[in-house]
């Protein structure tokens, strides 16, 4: 791509290893950060900060900001929200007592992606989650060229986004070449598809990149992804890889309970002991709750508003409002959210939020 050659001469070097990158490599629970708006559609800074405080107090090991759950519309320059929202989350992370992996979303054509990656670099973000949505006209080779350019500015997290919400199918060959980009530090696997998930894990294994952390974004299969071992034959040897973290929109709600589930899954997977049967049951309960929050019955039409509904009920959001006024709950989604609230009280963290909400809002 012509823009890459021009930019290479002046591109900033990849950030040095940071405490946040070390957390990312370790494998942590990272919620995708929603956007808090006022009744007039302006950024509600007080509640935006409160959300960050909630996630960090709940035990999250990082924050993912300006990603799909934050609403892709904040990337439109006319909103003026991209940098302010990133700054708010970064400022909160600096107040936290433990290192936090700070991930910022990057999207758009190469010129826009360069600009956004540079903002992340300037603000001190650890890595950029690179969305390839909206780049359908590019071949896979052109997409890889695009990724290499952005990887010169900030460490990259690959993002396999499901087609239902704007992603595209990407081949094993794409991910095999992507894994050879030196600045790739992680991949969020979120195609909601077992075959495509295997493509990514196998590509990383066969590339020999032990330093690429694998994160689940498969909100329909969170617990099983975290418990599973993948085994491949590479150059005559058996190689095992695991998904060691999660970067999930689902974890933007009921986060305190989600972190506890994540910690238990990691402990079981690390032990090598048989998986307890109750964890397999829990996996289905989490998926059922996600189907309600993400509006799976309506092809994810209400996937953002469903999360807002939960945060509004908890008093963390004052308004259930999106930048796109057409965003709404899907038909029957409210009833489904009511159902999973009643069915899975052990997954809900309303009491945790109630105990701390005023402090988060007024700090």
């Amino acid at each position: 791509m012509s823009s890459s050659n021009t930019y290479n001469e002046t591109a900033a070097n990849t950030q040095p290893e940071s405490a946040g990158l070390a957390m990312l490599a370790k494998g942590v629970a990272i919620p995708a950060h929603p956007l808090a708006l006022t009744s007039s559609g302006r950024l509600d800074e007080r509640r935006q900060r409160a959300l960050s405080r909630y996630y960090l107090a709940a035990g999250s090991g990082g924050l993912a900001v300006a990603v799909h759950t934050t609403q892709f519309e904040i990337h439109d320059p006319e909103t003026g929200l991209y940098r302010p929202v990133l700054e708010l989350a970064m400022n909160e992370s600096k107040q936290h007592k433990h290192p936090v992996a700070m991930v910022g979303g990057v999207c758009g054509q190469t010129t826009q992606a360069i600009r956004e990656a540079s903002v992340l670099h300037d603000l001190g973000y650890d890595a950029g989650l690179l969305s390839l949505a909206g780049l359908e006209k590019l071949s896979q080779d052109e997409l890889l060229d695009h990724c290499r350019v952005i990887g010169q500015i900030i460490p990259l997290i690959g993002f396999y986004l499901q087609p239902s919400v704007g992603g595209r199918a990407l081949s094993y060959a794409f991910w095999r070449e992507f894994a050879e980009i030196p600045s790739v530090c992680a991949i969020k696997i979120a195609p909601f598809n077992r075959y495509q998930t295997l493509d990514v894990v196998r590509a990383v294994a066969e590339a020999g990149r032990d330093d690429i952390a694998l994160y689940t974004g498969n909100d329909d299969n969170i617990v099983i992804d975290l418990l599973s071992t993948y085994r491949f034959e590479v150059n005559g040897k058996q190689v095992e890889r695991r998904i060691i973290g999660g970067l999930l929109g689902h974890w933007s709600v009921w986060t305190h309970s989600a972190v506890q589930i994540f910690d238990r899954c990691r402990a079981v997977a690390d032990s090598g002991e048989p998986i307890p049967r109750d964890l397999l049951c829990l996996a289905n309960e989490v998926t059922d709750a996600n189907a309600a929050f993400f509006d799976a019955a309506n092809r994810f039409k209400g996937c953002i508003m469903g999360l807002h509904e939960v945060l509004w009920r908890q008093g963390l959001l004052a308004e259930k409002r999106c930048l796109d006024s057409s965003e709404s709950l899907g038909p029957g989604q409210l009833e489904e959210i009511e159902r999973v609230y009643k069915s899975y009280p052990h997954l809900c963290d309303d009491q945790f939020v109630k105990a701390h909400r005023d402090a988060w809002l007024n700090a």
Side-chain angles (χ1 to χ4, degrees):
M1 300 171 68
S2 60
S3 61
S4 64
N5 292 332
T6 301
Y7 193 78
N8 284 349
E9 298 176 2
T10 57
N13 291 328
T14 297
Q15 289 177 298
E17 182 74 15
S18 65
L21 276 176
M23 291 289 290
L24 193 68
K26 172 186 173 184
V28 291
I30 303 178
H33 205 306
L35 179 68
L37 297 175
T38 66
S39 59
S40 62
R42 300 177 66 84
L43 175 63
D44 189 335
E45 293 191 9
R46 174 171 170 254
R47 291 182 182 275
Q48 192 72 19
R49 288 193 294 266
L51 286 173
S52 296
R53 293 166 185 162
Y54 163 42
Y55 299 136
L56 295 173
S60 301
L63 298 174
V65 191
V67 293
H68 178 255
T69 301
T70 325
Q71 303 173 43
F72 278 145
E73 288 80 6
I74 74 164
H75 294 264
D76 296 339
E78 55 267 26
T79 69
L81 290 177
Y82 183 72
R83 188 180 185 110
V85 169
L86 289 164
E87 285 180 326
L88 286 173
M90 177 57 74
N91 289 340
E92 290 304 320
S93 76
K94 290 177 179 177
Q95 306 302 315
H96 195 54
K97 58 185 177 181
H98 300 301
V100 178
M102 293 300 292
V103 176
V106 176
C107 69
Q109 302 293 325
T110 303
T111 300
Q112 175 183 341
I114 287 172
R115 182 172 64 249
E116 293 185 351
S118 298
V119 170
L120 297 182
H121 181 276
D122 292 346
L123 292 176
Y125 272 72
D126 297 298
L129 181 69
L130 184 59
S131 172
L132 303 179
L135 302 177
E136 294 83 3
K137 293 183 179 180
L138 298 185
S139 68
Q140 291 197 153
D141 285 343
E142 290 171 326
L143 285 178
L144 287 163
D145 194 12
H146 172 84
C147 296
R148 293 183 186 106
V149 172
I150 309 309
Q152 293 175 3
I153 305 168
I154 193 164
L156 287 184
I157 300 177
F159 186 10
Y160 201 164
L161 178 65
Q162 61 160 316
S164 296
V165 291
R168 61 183 279 186
L170 295 164
S171 69
Y172 162 83
F174 171 86
W175 291 110
R176 180 65 177 77
E177 287 200 51
F178 182 84
E180 294 180 358
I181 298 174
S183 59
V184 172
C185 60
I187 299 175
K188 171 180 174 173
I189 309 170
F192 287 34
N193 181 294
R194 294 293 87 202
Y195 301 115
Q196 293 166 342
T197 294
L198 275 164
D199 281 344
V200 178
V201 182
R202 181 166 68 91
V204 172
E206 293 186 354
R209 288 292 301 274
D210 293 336
D211 58 330
I212 293 179
L214 298 176
Y215 275 66
T216 181
N218 287 320
D219 298 78
D220 65 338
N221 205 60
I222 298 168
V223 171
I224 299 301
D225 271 358
L226 293 170
L227 292 172
S228 297
T229 298
Y230 297 81
R231 183 179 296 135
F232 308 97
E233 185 172 306
V234 180
N235 297 324
K237 297 181 179 179
Q238 286 194 336
V239 174
E240 292 186 353
R241 292 302 306 262
R242 282 174 35 208
I243 293 173
I244 60 171
L247 197 166
L248 296 151
H250 180 87
W251 284 350
S252 70
V253 299
W254 295 359
T255 311
H256 187 251
S257 300
V259 171
Q260 293 177 325
I261 293 170
F262 169 77
D263 288 343
R264 186 179 176 206
C265 288
R266 279 296 305 267
V268 169
D270 290 347
S271 74
E273 296 296 320
I275 298 170
R277 290 180 62 86
D278 71 295
L279 264 182
L280 300 179
C281 180
L282 181 67
N284 293 326
E285 294 174 343
V286 170
T287 296
D288 192 21
N290 178 264
F293 298 154
F294 270 41
D295 196 25
N298 297 297
R299 295 186 60 79
F300 309 101
K301 178 183 182 296
C303 63
I304 292 178
M305 195 58 78
L307 302 173
H308 283 208
E309 174 70 28
V310 177
L311 296 170
W312 175 79
R313 288 175 181 227
Q314 294 179 321
L316 288 165
L317 289 183
E319 303 288 336
K320 294 180 287 184
R321 182 175 180 135
C322 292
L323 292 169
D324 181 353
S325 59
S326 69
E327 292 276 0
S328 65
L329 292 173
Q333 187 180 6
L334 185 61
E335 292 78 9
E336 280 295 286
I337 291 173
E338 293 278 6
R339 179 182 66 81
V340 298
Y341 253 98
K342 293 175 182 177
S343 297
Y344 310 122
H346 54 291
L347 300 182
C348 175
D349 69 353
D350 283 4
Q351 292 305 310
F352 173 77
V353 173
K354 183 178 180 180
H356 302 284
R357 181 186 59 227
D358 289 346
W360 299 330
L361 286 167
N362 298 316

